[in-house]
């Protein structure tokens, strides 16, 4: 037996550990002492954590060492204040301009008396005063509950740091009184200042910071727990103030070099957020002259450069939404067609356009889709938009699809939407915009195959003369009996046995031993294979005159797909025993039968090959 080998470590983890080794050697900076409790920190503590917006957590060093969150609490509390009060009310009290002053400067906007932004202490204390709750206890509890959603576990206040800051925080009290003077705070400022000290003393780890940052990167949903910590619409406001004011008076240089919204705290923590991608949390107590963690800055700078994370240096995603495009002439639905029908489809099916969309549909990616549709407008008779691989869709994309739907509808060209179940916004948007016309114009289908069949049927109805619904195929009409003489037809008929099935009945079960070939005399049947999660995929649909279940006649293997009656069905069944007997008693007829059988298999193989090469 081979000895069990341990799976290799992730290269991402190796990279973080390498950074950790490299920057652990840096000994610059001083631990903050103005809050006496903070002075006890060990300058060698150093933890790094990187968390992706898809929930992968990578940690190196002292990533589980608790410390107090300090100013990193500010953007999160700002988010809760926005949820509690709405943006308009919050903006009446707190601005959004960087100051260039130190975090604890006693400066307010001339005229309004508003603190300039929520990242300086004045703005943060005003923010904290906006947290809803009847008692000091409830308000603190609401803050702790919020942090618990971001970190994924219960958090507590480090009482000794809180006491230490409360005993020495006269400057912050002065700021509180000044805010009261300008009516930014409307009642006694002290409870709000105390609550602010408590929020700053919440105990976290670098791992917690990484997950909190990744939650902001993931539009407010904690990617590890899957829980919503803040309404998605407010994340942009939080990240905006972090981007412009998050790094004290180093904010401009930070965004220029590192290019990610960030926030640091005097205990030595830093978070950085790359929206939609990842969050970083670093902890190392020694600070530089701006009050930012020396190693924290170095780590974020290195990660940003090595991993090409600068927010303002993003790739062109314009063309990423069209995964694949084909027409109804290149690929047909699983409904098996007569020769005449197949001909019409290969000649005129080009007017059926199918777009398989993927990824994130926003203004710029949806624009590329509608531009392509417009470019092909005259040649388009019917349009299928497949959303199966679309990950997200926003309102501006919905709007473009709505406009294109109207333009096509005006010309009597239908637009079919497939796999929109996970896109409730699209349905809601179109319903609101289309009003009474919604039922008629919004045509959703469970899958492309059914939508394609719908378009094909519509095309065939317009092109081919209407045919009376087929009563019952006679033996002479079976594709399997092509070129049979009258005598052969008669002989063949004597080998068949009539069988009826109700709509919905399973005619062939997967895995069953094959005992017969079915000639479909009346009705329709579909062939399915099961898929993961209980779904099933249609492989083919047959109508009267066609043959099914014939593969087993050749290889005698157990049934590999199920066949279900779509309607009431009548079949002429040729048992495999009779199939063999026919060869003994009427070898020439059997040869003709085998030729026809080959031909039908050939058609299907060619179709499968076309599909494969098209999708390659
Ligand atoms: N609680 C600290 C203060 O107000 C937070 C400072 C900071 O982390 O920037 O002084």
């Amino acid at each position: 037996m081979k000895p069990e080998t341990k799976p290799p470590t992730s290269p991402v983890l190796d990279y973080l550990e390498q950074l950790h080794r490299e920057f652990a050697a840096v000994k610059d900076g001083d631990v903050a002492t103005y809050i006496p409790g903070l002075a006890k920190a060990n300058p060698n503590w150093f933890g790094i954590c990187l968390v992706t917006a898809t929930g992968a957590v990578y940690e190196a060093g002292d990533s589980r060492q608790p410390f107090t969150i300090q100013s990193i609490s500010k953007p999160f509390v700002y988010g809760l204040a926005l949820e509690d009060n709405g943006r308009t009310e919050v903006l009446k009290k707190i601005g959004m301009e960087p100051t260039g002053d130190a975090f604890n400067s006693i400066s307010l906007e001339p005229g309004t008396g508003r603190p300039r932004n929520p990242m300086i202490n004045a703005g943060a204390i005003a923010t904290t005063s906006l947290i809803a709750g009847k008692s000091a206890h409830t308000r603190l509890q609401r803050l702790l509950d919020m942090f618990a959603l971001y970190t994924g576990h219960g958090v507590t206040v480090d009482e000794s740091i809180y006491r230490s800051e409360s005993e020495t925080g006269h400057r912050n009290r002065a700021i509180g009184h000044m805010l009261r003077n300008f009516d930014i705070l409307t009642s006694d400022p002290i409870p709000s200042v105390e609550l602010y000290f408590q929020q700053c003393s919440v105990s976290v780890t670098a791992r917690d910071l990484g997950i909190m940052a990744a939650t902001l990167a993931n539009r407010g949903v904690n990617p590890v727990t899957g829980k919503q910590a803040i309404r998605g619409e407010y994340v942009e406001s939080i990240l905006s103030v972090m981007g412009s004011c998050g790094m004290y008076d180093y904010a401009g240089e930070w965004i220029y070099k590192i290019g990610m919204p960030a926030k640091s705290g005097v205990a030595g923590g830093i978070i950085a957020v790359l929206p939609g991608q990842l969050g970083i949390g670093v902890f190392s107590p020694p600070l530089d002259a701006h009050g930012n963690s020396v190693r924290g800055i170095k780590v974020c700078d290195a990660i940003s450069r090595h991993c090409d994370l600068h927010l303002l240096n993003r790739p062109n995603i314009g063309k990423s939404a069209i995964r694949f495009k084909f027409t109804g002439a290149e690929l047909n639905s699983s409904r098996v067609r007569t020769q005449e029908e197949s001909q019409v489809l290969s000649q005129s099916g080009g007017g059926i356009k199918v777009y398989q969309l993927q990824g994130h549909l926003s203004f710029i990616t949806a624009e590329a889709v509608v531009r392509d549709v417009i470019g092909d407008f005259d040649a388009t008779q019917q349009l299928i938009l497949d959303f199966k691989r679309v990950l997200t869709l926003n309102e501006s994309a919905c709007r473009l699809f709505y406009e294109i739907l109207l333009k096509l509808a005006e010309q009597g060209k239908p637009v079919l939407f497939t796999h929109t179940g996970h896109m409730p916004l699209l349905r809601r948007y179109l319903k609101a915009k289309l009003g009474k016309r919604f039922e008629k114009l919004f045509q959703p289908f469970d899958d492309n195959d059914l939508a394609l069949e719908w378009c094909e049927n519509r095309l065939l109805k317009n092109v081919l003369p209407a045919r009376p619904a087929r009563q019952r195929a006679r033996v002479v009409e079976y594709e399997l009996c092509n070129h049979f003489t009258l005598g052969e037809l008669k002989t063949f008929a004597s080998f068949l046995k009539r069988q009826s099935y109700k709509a919905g009945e399973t005619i062939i079960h997967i895995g069953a031993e094959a005992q017969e070939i079915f000639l479909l005399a009346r009705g329709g049947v579909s062939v399915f294979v099961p898929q993961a999660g209980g779904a099933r995929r249609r492989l083919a649909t047959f109508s009267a005159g066609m043959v099914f279940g014939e593969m087993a006649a050749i290889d005698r293997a157990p049934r590999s797909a199920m066949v279900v009656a779509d309607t009431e069905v009548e079949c002429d069944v040729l048992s495999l025993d009779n199939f063999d007997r026919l060869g003994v008693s009427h070898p020439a007829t059997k040869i003709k039968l085998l030729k026809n059988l080959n031909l039908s298999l050939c058609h299907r193989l060619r179709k499968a090959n076309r599909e494969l090469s098209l999708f390659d």
Side-chain angles (χ1 to χ4, degrees):
M1 236 174 59
K2 255 175 76 184
E4 262 188 40
T5 50
K6 259 184 46 195
T9 52
S10 155
V12 180
L13 189 62
D14 297 345
Y15 169 65
L16 289 194
E17 281 173 349
Q18 178 210 318
L19 285 185
H20 187 270
R21 275 193 300 276
E22 185 180 338
F23 294 123
V26 174
K27 301 290 177 195
D28 303 339
D30 299 301
V31 172
T33 50
Y34 77 101
I35 299 172
L38 292 182
K40 296 185 192 140
N42 178 346
N44 294 323
W45 281 335
F46 182 23
I48 308 176
C49 179
L50 183 151
V51 182
T52 67
T54 47
V57 182
Y58 299 97
E59 302 168 64
D62 307 315
S63 56
R64 309 278 176 124
Q65 169 63 46
F67 58 96
T68 53
I69 189 167
Q70 297 301 335
S71 274
I72 303 171
S73 64
K74 291 171 182 173
F76 297 97
V77 177
Y78 185 60
L80 187 58
L82 286 167
E83 281 191 331
D84 282 355
N85 304 275
R87 211 175 260 122
T88 317
E89 286 311 306
V90 170
L91 289 178
K92 279 184 195 158
K93 304 267 182 188
I94 309 142
M96 55 181 101
E97 291 303 331
T99 61
D101 295 334
F103 69 99
N104 58 3
S105 64
I106 306 196
S107 71
L108 300 179
E109 195 175 73
T112 62
R114 284 189 317 173
R116 287 187 214 256
N117 69 62
M119 301 293 102
I120 52 168
N121 287 5
I125 292 166
T127 303
T128 303
S129 80
L130 294 174
I131 298 307
K134 286 216 168 73
S135 65
H137 175 77
T138 331
R139 294 164 77 213
L140 173 62
Q141 196 50 51
R142 289 194 65 237
L143 288 182
L144 295 178
D145 291 346
M146 172 199 71
F147 285 121
L149 284 172
Y150 277 105
T151 58
H153 60 80
V155 297
T156 52
V157 170
D158 180 328
E159 288 296 332
S160 83
I161 297 282
Y162 163 54
R163 267 196 312 278
S164 172
E165 179 161 8
S166 178
E167 279 158 15
T168 54
H170 309 300
R171 192 177 173 97
N172 283 327
R173 281 197 192 85
I175 290 174
H177 284 290
M178 187 184 62
L179 290 168
R180 176 69 191 92
N181 176 58
F182 284 97
D183 277 336
I184 297 296
L185 302 192
T186 47
S187 57
D188 179 5
I190 295 307
S192 291
V193 177
E194 288 302 320
L195 184 58
Y196 166 77
F197 292 151
Q198 284 169 316
Q199 84 181 44
C200 289
S201 305
V202 163
S203 185
V204 290
T205 64
R207 177 190 163 90
D208 291 337
L209 290 188
I211 297 174
M212 293 167 80
T215 301
L216 293 177
N218 193 32
R219 269 205 114 225
V221 177
N222 180 322
V224 177
T225 64
K227 287 198 185 141
Q228 186 98 38
I230 164 96
R231 293 220 314 255
E233 65 194 277
Y234 291 124
V235 170
E236 66 185 50
S237 310
I238 299 176
L239 293 179
S240 300
V241 290
M242 282 169 64
S244 57
C245 329
M247 297 299 284
Y248 309 119
D249 41 351
Y250 182 69
E253 191 172 335
W254 169 276
I255 203 79
Y256 189 98
K257 284 191 179 156
I258 294 161
M260 285 184 261
K263 185 72 200 93
S264 69
V266 289
I270 295 189
I271 59 169
V273 179
L274 185 58
Q277 301 196 25
L278 55 82
I280 300 170
V282 192
F283 167 56
S284 162
L287 308 179
D288 64 16
H290 299 286
N292 295 315
S293 163
V294 176
R295 292 193 193 106
I297 298 254
K298 287 194 186 299
V299 167
C300 292
D301 180 54
I303 297 182
S304 172
R305 270 185 300 108
H306 297 155
C307 307
D308 199 4
L309 300 183
H310 200 293
L311 183 62
L312 305 177
N313 178 19
R314 296 291 91 215
N316 175 345
I317 54 158
K319 293 214 173 102
S320 65
I322 303 177
R323 174 175 190 258
F324 184 59
K325 192 179 138 187
F326 62 90
T327 73
E330 293 166 309
L331 188 79
N332 295 141
S333 70
S334 312
R335 175 166 289 279
V336 180
R337 302 291 182 181
T338 64
Q339 244 182 344
E340 188 188 23
E341 291 171 331
S342 298
Q343 238 162 33
V344 173
L345 293 180
S346 69
Q347 268 160 22
S348 316
I352 304 171
K353 310 273 186 201
V354 186
Y355 284 77
Q356 284 190 349
L357 307 176
Q358 68 181 3
H360 301 279
L361 289 174
S362 56
F363 171 74
I364 206 66
T365 52
E367 180 275 338
V369 179
V370 300
R371 176 155 38 106
D372 207 273
V373 172
I374 293 284
D376 228 6
F377 195 82
D378 288 341
T380 302
Q381 298 308 326
Q382 313 188 64
L383 177 67
I384 298 175
L385 295 173
D386 170 12
F387 288 77
K388 183 171 179 176
R389 292 174 182 84
V390 173
L391 298 172
T392 62
L393 167 90
N394 70 12
E395 218 170 292
S396 69
C398 289
R399 178 173 167 178
L400 291 176
F401 289 124
Y402 160 71
E403 303 281 352
I404 209 78
L405 168 65
L406 283 193
K407 287 184 197 295
L408 283 146
E410 266 167 32
Q411 308 279 321
K413 301 176 176 185
V415 180
L416 282 62
F417 294 84
T418 68
H419 296 289
T420 53
H422 63 308
M423 304 272 106
L425 176 66
L426 180 70
R427 195 193 155 79
R428 267 205 315 275
Y429 187 93
L430 292 177
K431 194 164 182 168
K433 287 282 185 182
L434 290 169
K436 281 203 196 90
R437 291 177 303 167
F438 175 72
E439 296 298 335
K440 187 162 171 267
L441 294 185
F442 179 66
Q443 305 197 63
F445 278 79
D446 286 344
D447 67 47
N448 281 348
D449 192 36
L450 293 172
L452 198 53
E453 183 181 345
W454 188 93
C455 292
E456 289 170 359
N457 289 344
R458 187 170 174 276
L459 168 66
L460 293 170
K461 218 171 100 199
N462 288 342
V463 175
L464 293 177
R467 275 193 303 186
R470 180 100 80 138
Q471 270 311 303
R472 167 164 208 295
R474 287 170 299 136
V475 177
V476 64
E477 289 170 300
Y478 285 133
E479 58 179 0
L480 223 49
C481 298
N482 260 349
H483 308 298
F484 275 28
T485 63
L486 268 180
E488 283 170 333
L489 284 172
K490 237 174 118 184
T491 312
F492 185 60
S494 72
F495 280 86
L496 302 175
K497 201 176 128 217
R498 171 57 47 86
Q499 220 144 71
S500 314
Y501 302 91
K502 291 197 202 62
E505 200 174 330
T506 301
I507 304 174
I508 292 179
H509 291 272
I510 289 194
E513 193 192 330
Q515 284 168 335
E516 64 276 276
I517 304 173
F518 297 83
L519 295 116
L520 187 51
R522 196 168 62 85
V525 301
S526 290
V527 185
F528 296 100
V529 282
Q531 283 185 310
R536 52 190 204 178
R537 175 170 149 71
R538 179 171 77 149
L539 293 184
T541 293
F542 297 101
S543 44
M546 296 172 178
V547 58
F548 65 91
E550 76 283 28
M551 257 154 59
I554 296 165
D555 65 3
R556 310 276 161 143
R559 301 293 191 185
S560 55
M562 68 192 293
V563 178
V564 180
D566 295 334
T567 59
E568 271 201 10
V569 159
E570 269 182 66
C571 291
D572 283 322
V573 178
L574 176 65
S575 70
L576 293 189
D577 287 345
N578 276 349
F579 182 71
D580 293 338
R581 271 185 214 120
L582 183 69
V584 179
S585 62
H586 299 82
T589 314
K590 171 108 183 220
I591 289 176
K592 279 193 189 172
L593 188 75
L594 285 174
K595 258 191 180 169
N596 290 331
L597 211 55
N598 264 338
L599 220 65
S600 131
L601 290 174
C602 227
H603 286 318
R604 277 203 261 156
L605 187 58
R606 280 190 201 286
K607 180 172 187 257
N609 286 347
R610 260 204 322 275
E611 271 177 44
L612 281 179
S613 61
L614 191 67
F615 280 100
D616 188 12

